Amino acid sequence: VNPHAGHLSLELLLQDWLGETEPQVRDAIDTHLMACDACGALFDELLALGQGVREALRTGAVTMVASADLLARLAAQGMQVREYRLSHNGSVNCTLAPQDEVLAARMEAPLQGVRRLDLVHAISLAPGVEHRAEDVPFDPAAGELVVLTSVGRTRPLPAHTSELRLLAVEDGGNRELGRYTFHHQPWSG
Amino acid sequence: METLVPSGTDGPEARLAREIARSAAGEAREAEGQLYRLLAPRVRRYGLRHLRDGHAAADLVQQVLTLTIEQLRAGAVREPDRVLSFVLGTCRMTLMDQRRTDLRRQQLLERHAESISVADIHEAPRLDHQRVADCMDRLPERERSVLVLSFYDDQPSEAVGAQLGMSSGNVRVIRHRGLHKLRRCVQATGTPR
């Protein structure tokens, strides 16, 4: 609560929505929302943002570092998940079927002791161009990095090769942790 | 925590409730419609928060406000000035009732649904998911991952942190930052439809 304005904050509404607040706080928010349309509108906005994020994921519009748990839940909820597992420094022939809704790569990597991880992506369709994602989240104990790739952007692409490099960023510079190659072919039926 | 925005006995809800209470039953249709429109979005939000389902929340709106107006008409609300407290209490009781049985809801709707004019129920805005996706693309990697894992299945910070190798506190900081950036970006690129 912002004590000066007497209104609820977006963060508090989100914490409450995610079940992180105590019962007495929850009751107080109920009471406040029953009387305050300004905070009600903020709550509506929060739900709309959440719905937008979920729809963006469900429609394959998001590229992100994810988790094995998320993949399992997507599959359990009936989504068509195409998952490629790569061993350390591995490569794979891959494609995307018309019914696929989620495209995921699970790359084994020695992540123990790594403090910051960067992900560098290069694609044969744009020679010499690299995209670097800095400070990606990872669980060192998982021993793998899970990346979801936007289905919407991948589906129209012709045959190509993508390369992902994992870099540990250390005081002395970068240390390559792994290099993974994806030989993509459009769906041939 | 400040719990209630001052509206008290002089707010529009209290004025409308008083008008309904002092009128002969069914003679204050205009006031009933106004009160319904004023309270429907608030009760819907209560329903969404506690039931997590849009249809169930819409049912709750109809059920609670039908009962409220019926009680006002019958002079059974002891303090019409405090109609907000009455509505909140009815929301809570209704949910407790629902958890025990759906029977009461069906009976109430069958008894009164046709006798009270149902105003249009406010619906929350929706956002174009492609616009949200474009805005998410602009977020730093950690903020994007934390927001998706938080919103998909509504997971608390501890569960998200366990998946991404972060502490719960760190997740909350990143989530807070990402949420505000996403909100600003969506607001800057269009209005809800």
Side-chain angles (χ1 to χ4, degrees):
Chain A
V1 171
N2 178 343
H4 303 294
H7 287 300
L8 306 174
S9 70
L10 190 64
E11 182 61 15
L12 181 63
L13 287 169
L14 177 58
Q15 285 174 12
D16 183 64
W17 180 253
L18 298 177
E20 296 173 353
T21 51
E22 298 297 323
Q24 63 270 28
V25 174
R26 191 159 182 72
D27 285 348
I29 292 173
D30 279 340
T31 305
H32 188 99
L33 287 177
M34 192 52 74
C36 180
D37 288 328
C39 290
L42 191 64
F43 174 77
D44 289 345
E45 199 182 332
L46 175 68
L47 293 199
L49 282 172
Q51 180 68 20
V53 169
R54 283 189 291 275
E55 284 184 18
L57 182 65
R58 288 193 192 114
T59 55
V62 179
T63 293
M64 62 176 281
V65 172
S67 65
D69 184 75
L70 178 65
L71 286 186
R73 280 183 288 128
L74 290 168
Q77 290 165 9
M79 293 197 69
Q80 193 67 39
V81 177
R82 180 170 291 269
E83 175 183 305
Y84 291 102
R85 289 175 184 250
L86 288 85
S87 56
H88 186 215
N89 291 323
S91 67
V92 68
N93 294 322
C94 50
T95 188
L96 191 57
Q99 67 272 22
D100 291 335
E101 296 171 291
V102 177
L103 180 60
R106 299 178 65 162
M107 297 167 284
E108 288 180 11
L111 297 170
Q112 291 287 0
V114 175
R115 290 163 64 187
R116 177 182 140 175
L117 185 68
D118 285 5
L119 186 61
V120 180
H121 178 220
I123 183 167
S124 60
L125 299 172
V129 177
E130 285 189 340
H131 171 72
R132 182 164 182 154
E134 297 180 343
D135 196 18
V136 303
F138 65 98
D139 178 8
E144 67 171 357
L145 192 72
V146 180
V147 175
L148 296 193
T149 301
S150 166
V151 168
R153 287 182 204 153
T154 305
R155 203 181 298 282
L157 295 179
H160 67 272
T161 298
S162 278
E163 186 179 79
L164 286 178
R165 283 187 297 135
L166 303 188
L167 300 179
V169 180
E170 300 167 339
D171 290 341
N174 300 322
R175 176 168 59 91
E176 185 169 298
L177 288 178
R179 185 182 286 248
Y180 307 86
T181 308
F182 302 82
H183 302 287
H184 178 83
Q185 289 288 333
W187 179 251
S188 56
Chain B
M1 171 186 283
E2 194 167 340
T3 57
L4 205 61
V5 166
S7 68
T9 57
D10 294 328
E13 310 89 353
R15 180 179 55 77
L16 293 165
R18 283 196 300 266
E19 185 178 339
I20 297 166
R22 67 171 173 250
S23 302
E27 292 299 309
R29 287 298 180 107
E30 179 65 26
E32 290 173 3
Q34 283 183 42
L35 187 65
Y36 197 107
R37 281 190 290 275
L38 194 59
L39 297 180
R42 302 179 191 175
V43 176
R44 181 188 55 78
R45 289 178 194 120
Y46 183 94
L48 286 172
R49 279 162 44 73
H50 292 270
L51 297 166
R52 304 284 172 142
D53 178 88
H55 297 297
D59 282 350
L60 184 74
V61 169
Q62 193 174 6
Q63 199 173 344
V64 167
L65 294 186
T66 298
L67 180 65
T68 299
I69 290 170
E70 183 216 25
Q71 297 288 81
L72 283 168
R73 280 179 180 176
V77 178
R78 197 177 302 164
E79 297 180 86
D81 288 346
R82 293 174 48 80
V83 66
L84 290 181
S85 296
F86 180 86
V87 171
L88 184 57
T90 305
C91 285
R92 289 176 172 146
M93 291 300 293
T94 304
L95 252 60
M96 282 196 289
D97 268 5
Q98 273 186 4
R99 283 165 187 154
R100 286 197 288 267
T101 174
D102 280 339
L103 185 60
R104 178 176 159 77
R105 181 180 62 141
Q106 289 304 324
Q107 289 173 339
L108 197 64
L109 288 176
E110 284 166 16
R111 274 210 332 258
H112 300 293
E114 289 180 6
S115 68
I116 291 173
S117 60
V118 177
D120 52 335
I121 294 174
H122 170 86
E123 288 193 2
R126 292 177 68 86
L127 298 169
D128 174 22
H129 68 79
Q130 189 55 54
R131 190 165 81 234
V132 176
D134 291 343
C135 287
M136 287 170 64
D137 259 357
R138 300 179 202 179
L139 295 176
E141 297 291 333
R142 282 177 179 264
E143 292 173 19
R144 190 184 317 141
S145 295
V146 163
L147 282 184
V148 170
L149 291 181
S150 296
F151 276 122
Y152 198 85
D153 282 352
D154 297 329
Q155 294 197 92
S157 56
E158 280 186 14
V160 172
Q163 293 172 60
L164 296 177
M166 294 181 204
S167 70
S168 169
N170 197 7
V171 167
R172 288 189 189 201
V173 169
I174 292 170
R175 191 179 70 190
H176 175 78
R177 216 161 37 211
L179 181 63
H180 283 273
K181 284 184 194 169
L182 181 65
R183 182 182 181 218
R184 279 197 299 273
C185 176
V186 170
Q187 285 176 337
T189 53
T191 53
R193 59 180 158 87

